[in-house]
Amino acid sequence: LLVGDCGTTWRVNNNMAYPYTINTKENLYCMDEPSINFDQYLCGEDGLFMVNGRITQTNTALDLKSFRITYDNKAIAVGEAGTILHTADVTESPYEKNLNGNNIRAWFMNNGRFNNHSHSNGGFEWPKGSNKYAKFSSGLILGGLVGSDTLLAVCDYDSEFLPGQTIGGIPQGNGTMDFKVFKIVFGAGDSDRTGWPNALLGNSNQGAPVFFDSSTGTAKPNDFGNQTMFYSYTDSYTESHRHYAGRTSPLICDVKQITYCFNQPEELKNVIYQEYRIINRSNRQWDEFYITYFSDDDLGDSENDAEATDTSMRLSYTYNFDNNDVVYGTNPPATGFAVIRAPYVRTGSSGDSIEYYEGRLSRLRTGIRETRLSANIIFHDDTWQPNTMKELYNTMKGLKKTGESYINPVNGQPTRFMYSGDPVTGTGWNSTSTGDMRFYQSFGPMAVSPGDTQIVVIAQVIARGNSWRSISELRETAVQARTFYDNMFRGVVINASSNSTELPAKHKLYQNYPNPFNPLTEIRFELYKPADVELTVFDISGRKFKNLENRRFDAGDHIVRFDAGGLSSGIYILQFNADGVSESMKMVYTK
C-alpha cells in the first residue's frame, strides 16, 4: 500500500498500482508493513490512526509520523514535538468482532470480510486461545449482467461493500454507529442487545431478527445460538468500487448477515453458521447472476496446503498436503465451507419447499427449490488469481480466467469443479502439488428481480483426527452441521454463556413459545444455581407421554425444544422439577 496527502492510497498488485479507497482526507505519513496484514494500519496528520480502514481514537492532535504493531500486540506511534503513544492490547472495535462461543474464535467485519483480524496472523483461530490460525481471509463476491453491463461487488482481502443499507436507491449509514457489528450472547444483557437494530425494538430499522415473546407481550432479539451476530452492508456506494478485480458500477445490493454458533452438543463445537440475505435494491434485474464465497485458508503454515471439492457433500475444503505442519504438528486439521442452504429458484409447485432456521422460530417457504453448487475453482497463489473484472467473472462461472473450461485430467471431460477426487482413497482428480491455496465456491447462474431476496446459508467447519489428513473427520462434521440444521436444531439446548451477568433469584419456568404451536415450541427456564432438572409432558388426562430432560443443568437461562409432530391436537401439560421446585403449565398444540 502506498500512502500520501489528502488520503491518497494506492494498492500494488503484480507490479501494478490501483486506487484504494480509505475513509479519510487527512494526509497519511506511514503504514505498518510486517509480513502479514500489510495493508491494515495507517497513521497521519492531526493524530490520525487507522486500523483496517477505520479511524481509531487517539489522545493527541499532533501529527503521527510512524508507528508499529509489535509482536505482543501493542501499538506504538511517534510524531511531531516528541509525541510517543503506547497502547494496551489492541481490542475489537464496533466494526469487527469475534464469534467465540465454541471451540472457534473467528472475526467478522461490517464490510462483509471475515476470517481476518487486523491484529493477528489470520482471523479464524482454532482451537480458541491457541494462537493457531486455520484461515487468513474470506469474503462474499457477487456478480451478474445488468442490461449490457457486467457488474461485480468484490470482497476478498479488500471489500467493495461498506456498512449501511440502500433506501430509494440511495446508500446510507456508512460511518455511523448504527451499522456496526451487533453481537448478542444468550442470557446476557448488554448494549448490543438493547440496541439490536430492528424498528420493532425502537432501534435502527435494519431487519435484525426478532421474535414475539408472549410472556411479556413484546418483541425481543432472536438468539439463533448461544452467540449471534447481525450486521448490514451494501455495495451501493460508488466510491467503494475500487478493487483491482472489480471497479464496476454498483449492483445496488444490500446484504443482511446473521452469524451464529452453539457451545453444545459436541458435534456443533467446531461449526459456525452464516446466513446471507442478498437483496436487489435496484430497479433492474440481475441476469446470469453468481454468488461466490472466496477463502484463503492457511492451516498454520500457508505453503503446505492442498484443496479439494466434494461435490456430493457440497463441501469445499483445505487439508495439509504432507500431514505435518510447523504450527499444528502432525495430523493437522482440515477445514472448509459446507453448503447448508443453496440459493433457490421459484417453481410454483406446492410440492417444492425449503425450511429455514430462524432461532426460536422456523420458516417454511413453498413453491421454491434449492439450486446446486455450480463451481469450485482453486488457485495456488497470487500469481494465478484473477486480476480483472472479466477474469473474476469467468472464475465465478467456473471457468479459467481466459474463459476456457478446465479439463479433468482423469476422465478428459470439461469440469467446473477442480480437484473433485477423493484424497483419502487416492481416486479421481486430486492435487499433486502444494502451495498457498485459495478457492472460489460459486452458485449460479440465476436471475434476481428488483426487490427480490436470495438466501444462502453456509457452515464453516473444522476437524482434526487420526485419519488421513483429517478429511474423514471433516466430512463427518459437515454432515452433522447439515443434519442439525435440517432438524431445526430440535433437542439442542442453548446454554447461557459464562458472559451472562445476571442470574435469577430462584428457579423459574416460563410459558412455552409459541403457544398455541404447530409442531415446534420452545420451553424456557432459569436456574439460579446448578440443578437436576426433569421436564415431563403429560396429556390432558394425566397420562405421562414423554420425558424431555432428566439431567443436571448449569445456572442460567436455558431453552429446550419440543416437537409435537405426529401427536393429536389438544392440550398438553408440562411439568418442571428442579431441586424440589415444581411448576406446571398448559401447552396447546393445533394442527
Side-chain angles (χ1 to χ4, degrees):
L1 204 65
L2 305 177
V3 300
D5 289 350
C6 300
T8 300
T9 51
W10 291 75
R11 176 156 188 169
V12 178
N13 185 71
N14 291 337
N15 297 317
M16 296 186 66
Y18 302 92
Y20 181 72
T21 300
I22 291 292
N23 190 28
T24 183
K25 296 300 182 184
E26 302 283 356
N27 294 333
L28 301 174
Y29 298 129
C30 181
M31 48 150 305
D32 192 23
E33 195 173 8
S35 60
I36 56 173
N37 295 323
F38 62 91
D39 61 345
Q40 298 296 328
Y41 314 100
L42 301 167
C43 69
E45 66 177 344
D46 299 331
L48 177 71
F49 186 75
M50 302 187 76
V51 180
N52 195 37
R54 304 289 183 185
I55 297 175
T56 297
Q57 186 69 38
T58 63
N59 61 358
T60 183
L62 297 173
D63 292 353
L64 296 177
K65 298 291 188 178
S66 183
F67 73 97
R68 281 294 179 197
I69 304 296
T70 63
Y71 288 106
D72 60 350
N73 207 30
K74 310 288 185 180
I76 301 174
V78 298
E80 64 179 353
T83 300
I84 300 177
L85 301 180
H86 181 271
T87 72
D89 290 345
V90 181
T91 57
E92 69 179 13
S93 76
Y95 310 109
E96 54 174 5
K97 294 184 179 180
N98 70 83
L99 201 73
N100 60 354
N102 52 23
N103 292 341
I104 303 167
R105 183 173 72 158
W107 291 84
F108 296 84
M109 303 178 185
N110 65 343
N111 63 359
R113 192 177 175 195
F114 61 101
N115 292 338
N116 184 272
H117 178 32
S118 53
H119 316 306
S120 64
N121 295 354
F124 187 97
E125 184 188 34
W126 188 89
K128 178 179 62 181
S130 67
N131 201 32
K132 297 176 182 178
Y133 294 86
K135 299 175 188 283
F136 178 72
S137 187
S138 307
L140 174 69
I141 304 174
L142 305 175
L145 303 181
V146 181
S148 59
D149 295 326
T150 301
L151 305 183
L152 302 182
V154 184
C155 178
D156 50 20
Y157 305 105
D158 303 317
S159 181
E160 292 188 329
F161 295 100
L162 287 174
Q165 62 186 6
T166 309
I167 298 178
I170 306 300
Q172 54 186 261
N174 182 39
T176 72
M177 287 297 292
D178 285 343
F179 288 87
K180 66 178 184 177
V181 176
F182 290 84
K183 173 184 171 182
I184 55 176
V185 178
F186 184 79
D190 57 20
S191 60
D192 277 4
R193 187 173 290 275
T194 57
W196 195 242
N198 190 297
L200 293 174
L201 304 175
N203 299 321
S204 174
N205 187 24
Q206 299 179 37
V210 298
F211 76 101
F212 185 77
D213 187 347
S214 60
S215 66
T216 61
T218 60
K220 291 184 177 180
N222 195 350
D223 294 86
F224 276 47
N226 69 293
Q227 290 187 4
T228 307
M229 284 180 175
F230 173 85
Y231 48 104
S232 174
Y233 48 97
T234 181
D235 90 313
S236 295
Y237 287 95
T238 302
E239 62 270 23
S240 70
H241 284 256
R242 295 294 185 266
H243 192 284
Y244 58 87
R247 294 191 290 175
T248 70
S249 296
L251 283 160
I252 310 183
C253 166
D254 287 355
V255 181
K256 310 291 186 180
Q257 183 167 340
I258 304 167
T259 303
Y260 54 99
C261 67
F262 297 88
N263 58 15
Q264 64 82 41
E266 198 66 31
E267 294 90 340
L268 295 179
K269 289 185 177 181
N270 296 308
V271 180
I272 290 177
Y273 292 93
Q274 296 169 215
E275 177 183 297
Y276 294 78
R277 301 189 179 190
I278 300 164
I279 309 168
N280 183 349
R281 295 295 194 192
S282 75
N283 58 6
R284 306 175 71 186
Q285 179 165 295
W286 302 335
D287 293 312
E288 298 294 313
F289 185 69
Y290 288 84
I291 300 171
T292 299
Y293 290 93
F294 163 85
S295 192
D296 180 352
D297 294 353
D298 294 341
L299 287 168
D301 178 17
S302 64
E303 298 298 329
N304 62 345
D305 293 339
E307 292 187 341
T309 310
D310 191 323
T311 55
S312 64
M313 296 187 61
R314 303 192 299 182
L315 173 67
S316 304
Y317 62 97
T318 304
Y319 61 96
N320 187 273
F321 189 77
D322 56 18
N323 212 35
N324 190 8
D325 182 78
V326 296
V327 175
Y328 279 105
T330 57
N331 292 321
T335 186
F337 284 13
V339 180
I340 305 299
R341 290 289 184 270
Y344 64 84
V345 292
R346 289 188 172 89
T347 66
S349 171
S350 59
D352 294 327
S353 64
I354 305 175
E355 188 175 13
Y356 295 96
Y357 174 68
E358 295 195 350
R360 296 169 185 259
L361 308 170
S362 65
R363 180 169 58 143
L364 184 68
R365 299 185 62 179
T366 59
I368 61 174
R369 62 172 174 80
E370 284 189 82
T371 60
R372 297 181 178 181
L373 180 66
S374 61
N376 189 50
I377 301 304
I378 297 167
F379 294 98
H380 282 72
D381 55 43
D382 294 336
T383 305
W384 303 101
Q385 273 191 256
N387 290 301
T388 67
M389 174 271 290
K390 185 176 181 180
E391 290 181 348
L392 179 53
Y393 189 52
N394 282 335
T395 299
M396 297 170 72
K397 293 190 287 186
L399 302 173
K400 293 183 178 180
K401 295 189 298 183
T402 56
E404 302 167 328
S405 294
Y406 285 93
I407 303 297
N408 185 323
V410 175
N411 59 26
Q413 298 299 309
T415 183
R416 295 175 188 258
F417 297 97
M418 295 184 65
Y419 306 132
S420 55
D422 186 345
V424 178
T425 62
T427 57
W429 183 19
N430 295 302
S431 177
T432 58
S433 61
T434 186
D436 184 4
M437 314 293 286
R438 62 286 315 265
F439 63 76
Y440 294 77
Q441 181 189 67
S442 294
F443 306 93
M446 64 194 81
V448 183
S449 300
D452 274 2
T453 298
Q454 268 292 355
I455 302 175
V456 185
V457 183
I458 63 170
Q460 294 200 74
V461 292
I462 188 167
R464 187 175 194 173
N466 295 321
S467 67
W468 201 90
R469 310 295 195 266
S470 298
I471 294 172
S472 296
E473 288 80 3
L474 182 74
R475 289 171 175 162
E476 178 60 26
T477 301
V479 168
Q480 293 292 342
R482 189 172 296 112
T483 299
F484 274 98
Y485 188 99
D486 289 344
N487 291 327
M488 299 292 110
F489 301 99
R490 292 164 188 162
V492 174
V493 179
I494 304 177
N495 290 325
S497 165
S498 58
N499 292 334
S500 179
T501 57
E502 296 182 5
L503 291 176
K506 62 179 182 178
H507 300 327
K508 184 175 182 181
L509 175 69
Y510 291 88
Q511 183 66 49
N512 63 303
Y513 177 81
N515 192 46
F517 65 97
N518 177 24
L520 183 66
T521 190
E522 291 188 338
I523 299 159
R524 177 188 171 202
F525 60 91
E526 288 183 327
L527 304 175
Y528 78 96
K529 66 177 183 178
D532 294 321
V533 175
E534 185 175 11
L535 292 174
T536 310
V537 178
F538 299 85
D539 64 20
I540 193 63
S541 67
R543 180 174 60 89
K544 182 177 179 180
F545 168 70
K546 187 174 184 179
N547 189 271
L548 297 180
E549 292 288 351
N550 190 5
R551 62 184 179 90
R552 192 163 187 83
F553 284 81
D554 292 333
D557 201 350
H558 303 275
I559 285 179
V560 174
R561 292 178 173 87
F562 172 46
D563 185 357
L567 299 182
S568 300
S569 297
I571 298 175
Y572 292 84
I573 307 298
L574 176 77
Q575 187 174 63
F576 165 82
N577 288 291
D579 286 350
V581 175
S582 180
E583 294 186 42
S584 61
M585 67 181 182
K586 293 181 180 180
M587 304 186 297
V588 181
Y589 173 43
T590 59
K591 290 187 177 180

